[in-house]
Amino acid sequence: MQNLRNRVQLIGRLGQDPEVKTLTSGKKLTTFSIATSDSYRNSSGDKVEETQWHNIVAWGKVGEIAGEYLTKGQEVALEGKLTHRSYETNSGERRFITEINLNELLMIGGKKE
């Protein structure tokens, strides 16, 4: 059960093309977001669709692959771990963000028309 700790698996579509940055250390960082959708019927029988957005961070080889082969609208399955961090804006406001650090990636669908 040790490998179940802090593990996230999602299937969704990319919201934008991945952005690849090369850090001063030479490491490559790839970021993108995916959308997951769920639908249900409310008490009056109307169909309601909810979309959640997830920020993805990929390092190393999996990040390079994501940056090279993924495009906006493409469906992917991914596995990673949740991380939480905070940062301070230029105006001094403290903000918090939750991201998924990508471990595995599977391209499962073509680009959505």
Side-chain angles (χ1 to χ4, degrees), residues 55-69:
N55 296 317
I56 312 299
V57 176
W59 297 92
K61 190 66 174 169
V62 72
E64 290 176 27
I65 291 169
E68 186 173 342
Y69 294 105

Side-chain angles (χ1 to χ4, degrees), residues 10-13 33-38 49-55:
L10 295 173
I11 296 175
R13 292 195 180 271
S33 63
I34 67 166
T36 56
S37 297
D38 190 23
E49 187 163 324
E50 292 182 349
T51 301
Q52 299 288 322
W53 287 92
H54 311 277
N55 296 317

Side-chain angles (χ1 to χ4, degrees), residues 35-105:
T36 56
S37 297
D38 190 23
S39 61
Y40 63 91
R41 299 229 178 249
N42 63 15
S43 58
S44 45
D46 299 325
K47 185 176 181 181
V48 177
E49 187 163 324
E50 292 182 349
T51 301
Q52 299 288 322
W53 287 92
H54 311 277
N55 296 317
I56 312 299
V57 176
W59 297 92
K61 190 66 174 169
V62 72
E64 290 176 27
I65 291 169
E68 186 173 342
Y69 294 105
L70 297 183
T71 57
K72 178 180 179 178
Q74 188 172 4
E75 190 174 27
V76 295
L78 55 85
E79 186 268 321
K81 70 177 189 172
L82 281 179
T83 57
H84 307 284
R85 63 182 176 89
S86 64
Y87 63 95
E88 198 170 296
T89 64
N90 292 337
S91 61
E93 183 182 358
R94 190 168 182 161
R95 298 218 175 149
F96 299 90
I97 189 167
T98 300
E99 300 168 322
I100 298 170
N101 278 341
L102 187 62
N103 292 331
E104 293 183 39
L105 175 69

